[in-house]
Amino acid sequence: MIRENLKAAQIEAMKNKDKARLGAIRMILAKVKDRDIELRTASEQPDDDVLVTEVLMKMAKQRRESIQMFNDGGREEKAAEEQAELDVIEDFLPKQMDEGEMNAAIAQVKADVGAESIKDMGKVMAELKARHAGQMDFGKASGLVKASFG
């Protein structure tokens, strides 16, 4: 589904002669193809939307880090380029949960798996990743899970 949306957006960007968007979409598709090639020898193939979402999340994280570094280094023009790419990447990502939704999901998962102490954090994180892949920032979720046990 996401892969088809990317291909349709690529065609639309070509028709509209939107070079910046087209370049970003082509870069995304290239990363997805690289990931496909990596997984050729894997014993289990993930769901296509999960695979594409993982690639998009990784790319978005890289762009955010680059934007921070460019801003810290006084390279606003490069930060703006990265922000433009990030905007295109985020167009294809599923809607991200806000902190309240993340806390509700964490509480639900904790109840479902019977987590009672920080020792159960791994079980909670694994279940969150299974249920909400692509919908939450797991770096932030990890802190929220840890705080929920405190």
Side-chain angles (χ1 to χ4, degrees), residues 5 21 25 39 76 79 82 92 97-98 100 122 125 129 133 142:
N5 292 346
R21 185 169 174 82
I25 292 169
L39 292 174
E76 280 74 27
E82 293 288 317
F92 297 99
M97 291 181 167
D98 63 29
M125 288 302 296
K129 287 180 181 178
S142 177

Side-chain angles (χ1 to χ4, degrees), residues 71-142:
N71 283 331
D72 291 349
R75 306 267 323 263
E76 280 74 27
E77 72 285 347
K78 293 296 271 180
E81 288 175 22
E82 293 288 317
Q83 183 62 52
E85 287 179 8
L86 178 60
D87 292 342
V88 173
I89 292 166
E90 288 178 339
D91 285 348
F92 297 99
L93 276 171
K95 180 189 169 294
Q96 298 291 298
M97 291 181 167
D98 63 29
E99 196 164 323
E101 292 171 323
M102 287 172 67
N103 282 324
I106 289 167
Q108 181 64 48
V109 168
K110 280 175 64 178
D112 291 350
V113 299
E116 296 173 5
S117 71
I118 195 75
K119 292 178 184 176
D120 298 320
M121 186 172 167
K123 282 189 227 172
V124 173
M125 288 302 296
E127 188 63 24
L128 281 172
K129 287 180 181 178
R131 292 185 190 181
H132 302 288
Q135 297 175 329
M136 67 171 61
D137 176 355
F138 291 105
K140 186 186 269 186
S142 177

